[in-house]
Amino acid sequence: MMRFSRRASPLRCGLALAAVAMLASCNDQQSAAGAPPQQGPPQVGFVTVKRERLAVTEELPGRTSAYLVAEVRPQVGGIVQRRDFKEGSEVKAGDLLYQIDPASYQASYDSAEAALEKAQANVASSQLKAQRYADLAKARAVSQQDADDAGATLKQNFADVASARASLESARINLAYTKVTSPISGRIGKSAVTAGALVTASQSTTLATVQQLDPIYVDVSQSSTELLRLKRQLADGTLKYPSTAGANVRLFLPDGTEYPLPGRLEFSDVTVSTTTGAVTLRAVFPNPHEELLPGMYVRTLVEEGVDDNAIVVPQRGVTRDQQGNATALVVNGEGKVEARTLGIYRSVGAGWWISKGLEAGDRLIMDGLQKVRPGVAVQTVSLDAAAGQAPAGGSATMTADK
């Protein structure tokens, strides 16, 4: 309390009282300004659920393998005289790879050729004799038995000619086999033998291997469970085949970079592995620069199907209840919060591919989930513009609850 001196003048007393009044007025105004405002409905941000075309893909591991593989082995035995290719080079079908010593096979061919000429000469002689005996038998100048024997000898000589011709062809084939040629076009690997080596017919050890690398196969493994799920979705119309030419496949190299050329899915194996429970899928990729080599471990992105009316929502708009069921909050037509239980096919990039629980036009709450509960009226702010800058589309990764 302010004390006034009895000697204070009336003017000083008036000024002091005015200052006290002004201070009290300011305190009242500050108290009024600091009072909390009256609370309104909570504010939430939402995105509008839409239907869109979705290409469903799955990432699968795989290995590359040559499109064609030919293991070169000798068809005849002998000493290798020379090798006519450079290891690691490109060869064409029919190119000479090895020359086996042909001397003995040339001699066999010459002998077979002489035997054929001898048989043909015997035919000419016996043919004339058979004709004469046939005429003499009609005139009863020789017995019928002699005429029949002459005819039989002619037939035997014809058979000898056929046998000699077959022997000559066999000798010609063996002589040709002394030139070991490439059965296909491709890149040839290292040679297992050098000049001077002894080789035998159809030996187990290959002389060299030729592989065609353009195009090239990529064998990937998919679980039988996923394959059954995919077949059901294609059967019930949830998905449709990407194209009549086959599913598109993208490939990622061991260093993580994407291979620039797309591939096509060729076929799916009919047998499930008893050890892994997986089915082998085979894709074919163009490989003009032979960047892909057999045996490389790669990752593939296989386009399994297309859903023209898919509902994909951001993952942060979906939560789980205590039972693990997927749930979401939406703003209904009355401006109140409504809870939905969702069915989810799988994750797609940063979103969920929804099977049930949401329809096009629903307002899915994204921001302010902690401030609301079902049945509460809310103020809404659209986040569609921001959501459009970061689409949820992407590659499918896992199967979720349906």
Side-chain angles (χ1 to χ4, degrees), residues 60-217:
L60 299 171
R63 285 196 181 275
T64 56
S65 60
Y67 191 76
L68 293 177
V69 180
E71 295 182 341
V72 180
R73 290 184 174 87
Q75 300 297 304
V76 294
I79 301 296
V80 176
Q81 288 185 329
R82 67 180 187 273
R83 187 190 74 193
D84 285 354
F85 67 91
K86 182 179 179 181
E87 294 174 318
S89 64
E90 292 285 340
V91 296
K92 300 292 185 181
D95 284 354
L96 180 63
L97 302 180
Y98 299 94
Q99 176 64 62
I100 298 174
D101 184 7
S104 60
Y105 299 98
Q106 183 66 54
S108 297
Y109 177 82
D110 294 341
S111 175
E113 188 176 31
L116 175 60
E117 292 176 354
K118 180 180 179 181
Q120 289 173 337
N122 290 335
V123 165
S125 174
S126 59
Q127 193 170 19
L128 293 174
K129 183 178 180 180
Q131 183 63 44
R132 287 195 298 268
Y133 272 52
D135 295 339
L136 292 173
K138 292 179 181 178
R140 297 183 181 276
V142 296
S143 66
Q144 187 62 42
Q145 182 63 47
D146 291 339
D148 293 341
D149 290 343
T153 300
L154 176 61
K155 292 181 179 180
Q156 289 177 0
N157 289 337
F158 274 123
D160 290 341
V161 168
S163 177
R165 184 174 286 114
S167 297
L168 178 62
E169 179 64 17
S170 177
R172 186 197 63 79
I173 291 173
N174 288 333
L175 179 60
Y177 279 154
T178 61
K179 297 181 181 295
V180 181
T181 59
S182 176
I184 62 173
S185 297
R187 185 176 291 275
I188 192 167
K190 64 180 182 180
S191 175
V193 298
T194 61
L198 174 64
V199 296
T200 58
S202 303
Q203 64 184 32
S204 59
T205 303
T206 59
L207 302 181
T209 301
V210 182
Q211 301 181 84
Q212 181 180 336
L213 305 182
D214 182 26
I216 194 168
Y217 285 131

Side-chain angles (χ1 to χ4, degrees), residues 285-308:
F285 282 82
N287 191 28
H289 304 296
E290 297 186 356
E291 186 177 0
L292 300 176
L293 300 177
M296 291 175 63
Y297 177 80
V298 295
R299 293 182 299 112
T300 60
L301 206 60
V302 182
E303 184 177 345
E304 296 181 332
V306 176
D307 185 357
D308 290 326

Side-chain angles (χ1 to χ4, degrees), residues 364-389:
L364 176 67
I365 297 176
M366 298 282 293
D367 293 339
L369 291 170
Q370 300 82 1
K371 300 184 295 183
V372 297
R373 65 181 184 275
V376 174
V378 293
Q379 296 179 359
T380 57
V381 176
S382 176
L383 304 177
D384 287 336
Q389 297 174 0

